[in-house]
Structures are given as C-alpha cells and as structure tokens.
Amino acid sequence: MPQLSVQFFQKTDEDPPCIREADLKRPEDCSGNARDRDMESQESVNKCERVPLQKSNVCSRSYFIVVMVFFHVYIINVIALLLYVHYNNGSEAEFPGSSQGFTGSGDTHRSVPKGHTRAPTQHFLPRLEGLRVGHVQKLSLVSDKVHEMRTLSLKPLLFEIPDFLSEEECRVVLQLAQLKGLMESQVMVLEGQDDLTEQLNLSPEEIFSLLDLNQDGQLQPQEILTHSRVRDGIWLTPENLREIYAGLNADPDGNGLLSLEEFRHLSSDAFQRFLQQRGVKRSQLVRNSRHTWLYQGPGSHHILQDLRKRVTRLTKLPSALVELSEPLQVVHYEQGGHYHAHYDSGPIYPETVCTHTRLASNSSSPFETSCRYITVLFYLNSVEGGGETTFPVADNRTYEEVSLIQNNVDLLDTRKNCDKGNLRVKPTRGKAVFWYNYLSDGRGWVGELDEYSLHGGCVVASGTKWVANNWINVDPDYQRQAHYQEMVSQKHQAEDSPEPRPMQHSDAHIDL
Ligand code: OGA
Ligand code: CA
Ligand code: FE2
C-alpha cells in the first residue's frame, strides 16, 4: 500500500495533465502532415517554436474546463444540500390516528437532536437531549408551574423531574389503585416446568451446551443463576447455589463448577424438587411487590388523563403513541419488598414481535416482547428507608454481562448490592424519572435494546413504597407500528367511540 501511494504521487509529479495534453498535440502541431515534414522543415521549426505557446494555450483551456467542472459540481452540491434541508424541515412524524398534540409546551428541549439528520420520507421519533450528567432543562408542562429536568445519565439516557406530580395527584393515584385492588406481581411457577423440559426433548449434553454460555466446558455459578432467574423467576444467590450443590451432592470435587460429568448425575428436575421441598419465600423471587393497572383514557379520573397529557408533553412523542400504550401500572412494595435488576423490555431479533402490535395483527412468534420504548416512573410517596431505584451499570465505560456476577458479588441483586451499583434514585413523593430502554436506530426510529437501561428497586428497609409506571410502547418495525395505529383508528371510526381504546396488555416484564 505505501508503495502504491508513492508511485501515485511520483507519477502525478512527473506527468501533470497539461503537459501530457501538450505532448499528445505535438505530433500534429509540430509535424503537421507527415508527408510535408522534410520539405517544410523551416515551417516545422516555426511550428515547433510555437509549441510552448500552444502548450500554455492547451493548459489554460483544460485548466479552465477543470475549474468549471468543479464549480458546477460545487453548485449542484449546494443546491442538493438546500433541497435536503428544506425537505427535512418540512416533514414531521405523522401517525395514522395521531392527534399530534404537543403545541405550546414551551420547553427548552428540542424535538430533533442537534446534528441528527433524517431522510425526507423518514418518520421520526423525538428523543430528548441529555447533553451531560447534571444538565438541567426548564420545562413548562402545566400552566402554573415550571418543572426542572435533570440529566442523571447518558447511558441509558435518564432524567429526573422533581414534583412532576402534586401531592394531591399522588394521593389520588394511590387511592384509585387501592380501590381497584392489587395483585401479586409474581406468582411462583415451580409446577409445569417438568412438562416444558419434556416438550423440549433435549439430551443432558445439549442442555449443558446451551447453559455453558462461555463454552468453556464447565458451568460457572453465574451461568446457572442467570438461567434459573429467566426460567422460573426464582432468585438464587451464589450461597443458595452452594447450598443446593451440597444438598444434592452435585459438585463432589467442591470447585463450585459443574463439569458435564457432574451435570449428568444431576437429574433434570433435581433442582426443582429441591426448591419445592425447601419452599420459596416471596423475598426469594425476582420481584416482591403487588400491582394494578389504571386506565387513563376518556372517562377515567381527570388526574389520570392529565398525567398522560403531561407525559406526552414531556416525551414530545406523538399523542397517538402515548394514548395507545399500556395503562398506568401502580406498584406497592411493603417493607422488605424489592425488584431485582431487570430490563423493562426485551432485545429485538429479526423474528421478534411486540405484544401491542401482535394483539392487533394476530401474528405469533416464539420471540415476543413488550417494546417499551420509554419508561416514566413516578414516586407516589417518599420512602422512609431504602427503596431506591438502582441503575447498576449506568454510564459504565463498558457493558459485560458476565462481569455482573463476579466474586460472589451479584450486581443484579437489589436486596444485597444496591450500594455497589453506579446510580441510585431516591424515592421522593411526586418525583418522576424517565429513560429510554432502546437506543435510536440512527434514522430516527427505535433501535437496539440499551443494555445500560438495566435497573431495579432496592429493598425497602423501612416503611412502604408506592410507584407508578407509564410505559410507551413503540414497535421497532415502523410499518408494523403504523399498521397497528391505522387498524385501531379504523376500529375507532367504525365504533364511533370518542377515542381509540388500547389493546389489553399483559404484564410482560423481561426478568433476568
Ligand atoms: C418496575 C421498576 C423500580 C422501582 O416497576 O419495572 O423497575 O424503583 N421499578 O420500583
Ligand atoms: Ca461455562
Ligand atoms: Fe422496571
């Protein structure tokens, strides 16, 4: 490569284009007609004497042509750029059934990130700017108050807004939830797991290989722990695992790792039977809370409707998107309650479908997730002790799943290790925090899951804790989202009801 470039420069230096052109002209200009060459030698000489002049003529003409070509290209570029900017400014995100409502919010944040371009036909989801940790932006979300929004982290893009809700609003939401009644957020599913294992029909070797995430031929404690949490929502600690290994004599060499041989000796449901015998307490689940859902559409309490409008203004998203998202989830943690670190939504694979758009299109796939683009979390009371929301890897330089459980320290464990995470938000009545669970796809729509959005609720040390979640669901497949909104809006027109009603959502949290 270096040789090539040296050659290139040498050639350019030796043969500038105008000299080469002059050289090409020389046989004609100098010798003219070959037959007359000898006879008209004097003329030839004369002609040859003119060569330098002709050379310079040819040179300046080609030079002129090159300059003109560059000039035209430049002008065309400028025109293209102007047209591009014009079309970009002209097109707003449009959604079927959208009432496009966030005029007059008067806030200081921009709907289009600086330096972020979009193609003329591209649909665009506004994404707020964090700028830097600690940056404060003033927002006017309600008529008689200016809110301040502080950037808490950039990875994930996370903000807090104190007093987003008034004292009265917190009280009403809490009472409405109590009136409706709350249910256990997680029920134990120890039964039925054997059927699943049978259905899968995998050999012990195949299961071992699937569990052996780093493919080193041994099962590390974190490989077993991560699997158990996804499978049945039981939160095993490294100590629990040692206890189980000892109880089942599963690790005779006592090195804390399971070889294929040791794994084979463990019958497939030994784990389950052990847990069933020992019993599982609520504190040993991924999530230890109770919750309910509150509808926020027309006819609901005006405070719930106001809240949704405020969320629309805050996020600057099209109102149709917010209106078609999940209802408000109100969560109650008693003393000792917790929610171990998790993602509110799941990763997106090519086959992944979103719960909200799947319900409308009737399609199914083994990969389904809730597609919660944004989480807005409200604290409805101030907690006496503990109960912070933790973001263990916020603004970490890197994200590595394996380093989350290391040397007996499990950063995902919010009963034990909240103090070791990177960021904790104190639950204070009326405060809202909100963050993006997905990155941008670079073209203004939803991209990949943001791994840094991992978060959880620390154990409530004293008192109780009430929070509410407003999730905004967006399908990363723009066409599917548009189609869903089109369908809902048609259904709405057919029924002639005042507003489209959202599809029913299940509580589809993705737990680790
Ligand atoms: C949730 C959640 C955090 C908290 O409900 O999904 O992450 O602090 N809650 O309660
Ligand atoms: Ca391994
Ligand atoms: Fe969550």
Side-chain angles (χ1 to χ4, degrees):
M1 246 0 223
Q3 224 178 342
L4 259 181
S5 56
V6 167
Q7 273 181 355
F8 173 75
F9 284 116
Q10 280 172 348
K11 187 141 179 59
T12 323
D13 287 342
E14 279 169 11
D15 290 329
C18 67
I19 290 180
R20 262 196 288 170
E21 271 191 67
D23 288 343
L24 279 172
K25 290 275 177 192
R26 200 175 293 146
E28 263 179 45
D29 298 342
C30 224
S31 351
N33 190 330
R35 278 172 296 152
D36 305 332
R37 192 187 292 154
D38 295 334
M39 288 151 73
E40 298 173 64
S41 59
Q42 190 54 48
E43 213 181 315
S44 240
V45 169
N46 290 345
K47 271 190 182 176
C48 277
E49 277 168 356
R50 288 203 305 271
V51 164
L53 187 66
Q54 282 184 340
K55 249 184 167 178
S56 96
N57 278 347
V58 171
C59 274
S60 53
R61 200 170 70 217
S62 61
Y63 192 74
F64 176 74
I65 290 168
V66 168
V67 168
M68 285 310 286
V69 165
F70 273 107
F71 182 69
H72 279 89
V73 167
Y74 177 76
I75 293 291
I76 289 167
N77 272 332
V78 169
I79 293 171
L81 197 70
L82 287 173
L83 283 172
Y84 185 66
V85 169
H86 172 78
Y87 278 111
N88 267 346
N89 289 340
S91 66
E92 276 304 319
E94 276 168 24
F95 294 91
S98 166
S99 54
Q100 269 305 312
F102 33 76
T103 49
S105 64
D107 43 18
T108 53
H109 53 248
R110 291 152 39 93
S111 62
V112 180
K114 278 186 201 119
H116 204 133
T117 54
R118 57 187 156 136
T121 53
Q122 188 68 52
H123 295 274
F124 198 84
L125 282 182
R127 209 176 157 90
L128 304 194
E129 280 185 290
L131 291 181
R132 60 179 185 281
V133 172
H135 178 69
V136 176
Q137 306 179 52
K138 289 202 185 331
L139 313 175
S140 102
L141 303 168
V142 290
S143 55
D144 52 348
K145 186 174 165 52
V146 173
H147 287 93
E148 288 196 342
M149 176 175 82
R150 179 185 298 272
T151 306
L152 295 184
S153 71
L154 298 177
K155 291 193 307 183
L157 186 51
L158 166 69
F159 303 92
E160 75 170 5
I161 306 120
D163 299 316
F164 187 83
L165 294 169
S166 69
E167 202 181 319
E168 159 83 353
E169 287 171 328
C170 289
R171 190 180 52 79
V172 170
V173 175
L174 204 151
Q175 285 175 349
L176 286 171
Q178 283 175 317
L179 215 60
K180 179 141 186 210
L182 292 96
M183 59 198 162
E184 287 296 335
S185 297
Q186 193 189 334
V187 282
M188 252 159 294
V189 279
L190 281 176
E191 296 83 27
Q193 296 281 343
D194 302 348
D195 307 348
L196 184 75
T197 317
E198 275 163 30
Q199 269 173 32
L200 287 173
N201 200 18
L202 295 171
S203 68
E205 288 76 17
E206 285 169 319
I207 299 176
F208 185 92
S209 175
L210 289 172
L211 294 179
D212 184 12
L213 298 176
N214 64 357
Q215 292 288 300
D216 68 347
Q218 299 198 298
L219 295 183
Q220 278 76 13
Q222 58 264 49
E223 288 170 336
I224 301 270
L225 294 178
T226 313
H227 170 71
S228 130
R229 291 161 188 181
V230 173
R231 195 179 132 129
D232 47 31
I234 292 172
W235 194 267
L236 295 180
T237 63
E239 300 84 75
N240 292 153
L241 201 62
R242 280 199 291 273
E243 193 191 321
I244 294 174
Y245 284 175
L248 298 171
N249 195 23
D251 179 28
D253 62 11
N255 68 350
L257 308 170
L258 287 191
S259 64
L260 177 59
E261 209 41 48
E262 289 168 336
F263 185 73
R264 271 212 206 92
H265 283 114
L266 256 180
S267 79
S268 67
D269 57 352
F271 243 82
Q272 244 58 39
R273 274 189 284 121
F274 185 91
L275 291 172
Q276 263 162 4
Q277 275 167 17
R278 195 193 64 161
V280 180
K281 297 190 216 92
R282 285 182 68 191
S283 61
Q284 291 166 324
L285 295 174
V286 170
R287 190 178 185 189
N288 174 11
S289 64
R290 290 158 67 79
H291 72 256
T292 192
W293 298 92
L294 297 179
Y295 171 70
Q296 291 182 277
S300 64
H301 195 289
H302 71 93
I303 284 184
L304 295 175
Q305 297 191 49
D306 288 351
L307 195 53
R308 197 166 71 172
K309 283 195 202 106
R310 210 172 301 160
V311 165
T312 307
R313 283 191 159 196
L314 170 71
T315 57
K316 304 204 107 194
L317 291 173
S319 49
L321 262 184
V322 181
E323 280 156 20
L324 297 180
S325 289
E326 290 166 77
L328 186 74
Q329 187 194 55
V330 182
V331 188
H332 181 217
Y333 300 88
E334 280 168 12
Q335 186 162 324
H338 72 272
Y339 193 170
H340 288 306
H342 62 278
Y343 292 109
D344 280 356
S345 198
I348 305 292
Y349 307 111
E351 305 83 1
T352 303
V353 296
C354 300
T355 310
H356 68 295
T357 49
R358 178 194 60 84
L359 289 169
S361 69
N362 237 347
S363 62
S364 77
S365 158
F367 301 98
E368 185 181 318
T369 191
S370 52
C371 300
R372 291 164 172 162
Y373 179 52
I374 290 182
T375 300
V376 189
L377 178 77
F378 313 106
Y379 299 103
L380 302 176
N381 73 330
S382 299
V383 181
E384 231 174 88
E388 301 94 335
T389 304
T390 175
F391 293 82
V393 292
D395 280 336
N396 234 33
R397 207 160 47 80
T398 55
Y399 174 87
E400 280 171 277
E401 197 183 347
V402 283
S403 55
L404 292 172
I405 312 177
Q406 252 176 13
N407 310 327
N408 273 337
V409 176
D410 179 357
L411 279 179
L412 306 172
D413 192 322
T414 58
R415 296 188 72 82
K416 280 193 179 153
N417 298 321
C418 260
D419 55 332
K420 301 186 184 68
N422 289 354
L423 180 77
R424 276 186 309 284
V425 182
K426 200 171 148 56
T428 307
R429 185 180 56 205
K431 190 200 282 181
V433 279
F434 90 99
W435 65 91
Y436 294 81
N437 294 305
Y438 290 92
L439 301 168
S440 162
D441 69 349
R443 289 172 296 166
W445 200 252
V446 182
E448 280 175 33
L449 181 73
D450 187 348
E451 290 166 323
Y452 294 91
S453 69
L454 187 69
H455 64 279
C458 305
V459 66
V460 177
S462 63
T464 70
K465 172 181 169 189
W466 286 89
V467 296
N469 285 301
N470 246 159
W471 284 296
I472 298 162
N473 311 93
V474 185
D475 196 320
D477 181 330
Y478 172 78
Q479 294 302 337
R480 274 200 317 234
Q481 179 69 31
H483 178 63
Y484 163 63
Q485 293 188 202
E486 189 65 59
M487 276 179 70
V488 177
S489 121
Q490 275 168 11
K491 194 164 180 280
H492 156 228
Q493 275 162 19
E495 288 170 3
D496 202 27
S497 72
E499 191 191 315
R501 286 188 172 242
M503 299 285 167
Q504 276 302 304
H505 287 272
S506 60
D507 183 15
H509 261 207
I510 305 302
D511 298 314
L512 281 171

